[in-house]
Amino acid sequence: DLLLSTTNTISAIHFTMVLRQIKVPSIYISRYKTKNNEESEEVSYYITIPRTAWPWPLNKRESFEVLRELNRADFIKILAAVTDGDGSVVYHDGTPIFQITFGKDDIYEANLLKELLWTQLGIEASIVKDDSKMALECHGDNAVQLLSEILPYMTHPLRSLRIKLILMYKSEELSQDVFHEVYDQIIYEDSNDPKRNNALAVTAYAAPQTHTHRDH
């Protein structure tokens, strides 16, 4: 079973695009209370496929060896896919920042990706940790180089748009005023931002309608 869950509005659409490449997903909806005691809805998409049909190793050690053996072009594609799922791209205080989030105990995975970024692409990265998670980060010119490499293979709509805007700004195709005017519209605001916590609503609107009570 392959399961992808989200409360994020844009990811709710993106996940269906990703899974449809394998099989039309089923949907599971769950409701829960947040730390602030607010109700939230999580949408999960899942597919069931035979082990024999899965193209990647299911053993973690074997998958690490596959990563080490990838050529440069395939490594960039894998990196773009990881960014689509657990990546973050932001422009903060004049600096582009690229980040991939890991579990707090995934130190080997984070170090492996850091090593491959250097050996395959010549990009320096650092690892930061707190009590709940670990992240691999690139800043400044390293982030710009990495973003330019993965952009052609990105599929997440919002992250792709952020990358395009950052690269256009850094190459002076956009003025500072135009960049900030557009970029500020696609960053996440507080919990009331419609890009947050509306996975169920956008899924309902995007689903094929068997009937409707609307006049249009």
Side-chain angles (χ1 to χ4, degrees):
D1 292 335
L2 179 61
L3 178 73
L4 300 174
S5 301
T6 187
T7 60
N8 182 283
T9 310
I10 296 171
S11 293
I13 301 300
H14 179 240
F15 285 172
T16 60
M17 293 166 51
V18 172
L19 288 178
R20 278 180 179 273
Q21 299 177 55
I22 307 171
K23 184 179 179 181
V24 175
S26 299
I27 298 177
Y28 176 77
I29 299 166
S30 57
R31 290 182 172 86
Y32 64 94
K33 296 226 174 167
T34 66
K35 292 180 180 179
N36 299 325
N37 208 33
E38 297 175 349
E39 288 197 0
S40 185
E41 295 89 14
E42 183 175 76
V43 178
S44 300
Y45 304 93
Y46 64 93
I47 59 174
T48 300
I49 56 176
R51 281 176 171 265
T52 54
W54 184 250
W56 292 88
L58 294 173
N59 178 278
K60 184 178 284 192
R61 185 177 296 275
E62 290 179 17
S63 67
F64 293 156
E65 293 306 314
V66 170
L67 278 174
R68 289 186 181 279
E69 293 171 3
L70 290 176
N71 59 38
R72 187 181 190 276
D74 286 339
F75 174 67
I76 291 172
K77 293 176 183 178
I78 291 291
L79 196 59
V82 174
T83 306
D84 278 329
D86 286 318
S88 172
V89 179
V90 298
Y91 192 84
H92 182 67
D93 288 343
T95 302
I97 302 172
F98 170 88
Q99 184 182 87
I100 292 176
T101 303
F102 295 85
K104 64 178 181 178
D105 298 321
D106 294 334
I107 185 65
Y108 184 87
E109 289 88 335
N111 276 318
L112 175 58
L113 200 56
K114 178 183 177 182
E115 173 193 333
L116 292 174
L117 279 171
W118 176 249
T119 58
Q120 292 274 24
L121 305 177
I123 292 175
E124 292 184 359
S126 58
I127 296 174
V128 296
K129 296 188 289 184
D130 60 29
D131 293 336
S132 61
K133 67 180 185 300
M134 180 185 312
L136 183 77
E137 289 187 354
C138 295
H139 298 249
D141 291 340
N142 282 295
V144 169
Q145 180 186 343
L146 182 52
L147 296 178
S148 65
E149 296 276 13
I150 65 174
L151 178 58
Y153 308 104
M154 291 285 294
T155 60
H156 192 285
L158 190 59
R159 291 186 190 126
S160 298
L161 180 55
R162 285 181 184 169
I163 293 174
K164 289 175 184 175
L165 290 173
I166 290 171
L167 293 178
M168 290 176 70
Y169 178 52
K170 297 302 288 186
S171 64
E172 300 184 348
E173 294 178 64
L174 294 178
S175 68
Q176 186 177 41
D177 289 343
V178 171
F179 169 74
H180 284 291
E181 180 181 355
V182 180
Y183 183 82
D184 288 349
Q185 297 179 49
I186 60 173
I187 61 176
Y188 286 102
E189 301 293 344
D190 57 26
S191 58
N192 294 320
D193 190 317
K195 296 186 291 296
R196 296 184 185 273
N197 301 319
N198 282 291
L200 181 58
V202 74
T203 302
Y205 279 120
Q209 297 295 312
T210 55
H211 67 278
T212 179
H213 297 294
R214 296 186 179 184
D215 294 328
H216 56 281

